[in-house]
Structures are given as C-alpha cells and as structure tokens.
Amino acid sequence: MSRLVVVRGAGDLASGVLAHLYRCGIAVLALECRQPAAIRRLAAFCEAVYDGSQTVEGITCRRIDTPAQAWEVIARGEIPLLIDEQADCLAELEPAALVDAIIAKCNCGTRADMAPVVVALGPGFTAPDDCHAVIETMRGHNLGRPIYDGQALPNTGVPGLIKGFGAQRVMHSPAAGIMRGVHRIGDEVEQGEVLGYVGETPVYASLTGVLRGILRDGFDVPKGMKLADIDPRGEQKNNCVTISDKARCIAGGVMEALLVLGRQKGVQFF
C-alpha cells in the first residue's frame, strides 16, 4: 500500500479537497471523466482534461495517460490527473485512501472495500456501508462535518443562499445544443443580459452580479443542464479563480476523517 490519496472528481469542490491535502503534504491523484462539466472552471483542476494542465491558487494539476506516470508528476510538485471513470487504477496504485468527490448526489460505484480508508462527499452514501465516512456538503451548521454512521442531508435541488439568492443564482439550459458563451468568468453582468447561447437559444442572466462560472464553449448540453453561476455580492473578481469557503470547509472535514480513520486502521498518509 502506498501513501497516496486518490480523489474521484476534480470539479471546484473536489479541487478544494485536492489543494488542501496537497498543501498539507499528502500525495494526491485526481480521477476524472472524459468530458467534465465544471461551471466554476477557473477554480477547478478538471480543466486539465481539456488543456493538459490547470493551475489553481498556484497549484498545478497535470493530465497523465497511465497510472505509472502519477509518481513522476508528484515528484515534480504537481497533482496528476488521470481519466479513469471506473477507478480501475486502484488495483495498480494501491492507495491508502479513496475520496469520492464527484458530488453526483448519488453513488457512482464507490465501495468501502476500494481502499483501506474511503471517504465520500454529500448525499448518496451511507457510512459505514458504502464508505467509512461521509462528509456533509449542505450549507449550514454541519457543513464539512464527518459522519461515521449515517448519511448526509438529502439533496434539495436548491443552491444555498448567497445574499438572499438561492435557485436564482444558477442558470440552466433552455434548450439542447452546443454551448457558446458571450461573457467570460469574472465579468459583471446585469439581470436580463445575454450570457451566451445554446444553439441559437439565448441564455439570460437571472440577476445582477459577477459571473462566477459558465460552461466552456463547444459543450453539447441537454435541456435543463446547469450552465452558469452568478455571484450577487459583487465582490472582488478574484473570488472567481480561488477556492470557495464551502470547498475549504469540506476539505477540512475530509482531512479530519482521513486522520481519524487512518489512526483507527493503522494507515499513514505522511
């Protein structure tokens, strides 16, 4: 068994986990699908799938082609990312822990026997049956709390409130088609302004604020898919390219769970 921690997913919340573990001195590897659909792309390591590498808060994540290449990238002080939807690399790498950070609101195949320590984020998992700990991802008093017996709160389908806005912060595709953005992440937008197009159908800003995230151009989207996210606070645009408060809180919960479970099971991460 290596001291590696494998993280399934590299969206913005998963990237917060990856960055936190990396900064704490833990060797990490990200697993992604072939076409990730992150909205907060400038704060998500999954963009390395498309561009070869992605840097968030000074940390570079680099796409690799084989599990064996992971150690070369880690030795260079970077985070390797492997396209591996089924986590087939686990048999070869024998990691100390697996973190399911896909945030699919359901279990996409993670099992408690996939690594000595298995942690999962959000609803869809039951500890200790599916994993050894579940991390609460719902905003509120328990955000980031490790759950060693039970489940996270069920998905409400409504984003957490920011400055009194919840569902209105997020725009979904009005039609099926190819995404083409008009505005870039970090732009200040007005309610009713066109953010982009799905095919020939315009996507309008649902409120006034800073465009915190938008799906990348060329993505073939179905009707109803999440396309964009507006921050109504109008805070510094730097927030669009940095790890969020929610991601940092969840990452702290993951670290706590890894250390608690590692001590119980005799697993070392350093």
Side-chain angles (χ1 to χ4, degrees):
M1 182 183 68
S2 69
R3 296 185 177 183
L4 180 69
V5 174
V6 172
V7 178
R8 298 188 73 183
D12 62 301
L13 295 183
S15 294
V17 173
L18 286 160
H20 187 72
L21 298 182
Y22 169 90
R23 286 185 173 126
C24 290
I26 294 178
V28 289
L29 164 70
L31 302 183
E32 256 298 350
C33 63
R34 295 187 178 279
Q35 195 176 28
I39 302 300
R40 294 200 62 225
R41 293 181 289 110
L42 301 187
F45 289 129
C46 64
E47 288 296 284
V49 170
Y50 301 104
D51 301 329
S53 66
Q54 169 78 332
T55 300
V56 177
E57 295 193 4
I59 302 171
T60 297
C61 179
R62 190 169 303 280
R63 190 186 67 225
I64 58 176
D65 298 317
T66 67
Q69 294 174 325
W71 299 110
E72 302 172 16
V73 174
I74 290 170
R76 292 203 301 266
E78 299 176 338
I79 296 175
L81 180 148
L82 181 66
I83 298 174
D84 183 1
E85 296 186 34
Q86 305 304 319
D88 294 327
C89 69
L90 299 183
E92 178 177 341
L93 294 174
E94 297 184 329
L98 175 68
V99 179
D100 187 315
I102 299 173
I103 318 291
K105 311 301 192 300
C106 63
N107 189 340
C108 296
T110 292
R111 306 184 313 274
D113 64 357
M114 295 177 79
V117 174
V118 178
V119 177
L121 274 55
F125 303 92
T126 301
D129 299 333
D130 304 316
C131 56
H132 303 117
V134 177
I135 307 299
E136 181 59 69
T137 57
M138 180 78 73
R139 285 189 182 272
H141 181 75
N142 289 317
L143 176 64
R145 185 183 297 277
I147 302 164
Y148 301 101
D149 186 3
Q151 303 174 330
L153 292 172
N155 178 36
T156 64
V158 179
L161 292 176
I162 294 181
K163 201 177 178 181
F165 294 98
Q168 196 176 355
R169 293 192 295 108
V170 178
M171 280 119 283
H172 296 82
S173 176
I178 303 300
M179 177 67 188
R180 175 172 60 88
V182 172
H183 281 282
R184 295 183 177 181
I185 294 174
D187 286 354
E188 296 180 7
V189 297
E190 298 290 332
Q191 183 176 10
E193 192 172 353
V194 174
L195 300 179
Y197 295 86
V198 177
E200 300 301 320
T201 305
V203 178
Y204 298 102
S206 56
L207 52 83
T208 296
V210 173
L211 186 61
R212 193 168 68 151
I214 188 168
L215 197 65
R216 67 185 289 132
D217 285 358
F219 206 100
D220 189 357
V221 301
K223 183 177 181 180
M225 182 176 179
K226 181 179 176 181
L227 293 181
D229 179 353
I230 294 176
D231 189 334
R233 293 170 294 191
E235 295 179 355
Q236 296 180 355
K237 296 180 181 180
N238 188 52
N239 290 2
C240 299
V241 300
T242 53
I243 295 165
S244 69
D245 55 344
K246 181 176 181 179
R248 291 195 305 270
C249 188
I250 291 170
V254 171
M255 174 63 85
E256 178 183 336
L258 290 177
L259 295 180
V260 169
L261 292 167
R263 185 172 63 246
Q264 293 175 356
K265 297 174 180 293
V267 177
Q268 295 184 341
F269 298 104
F270 301 97

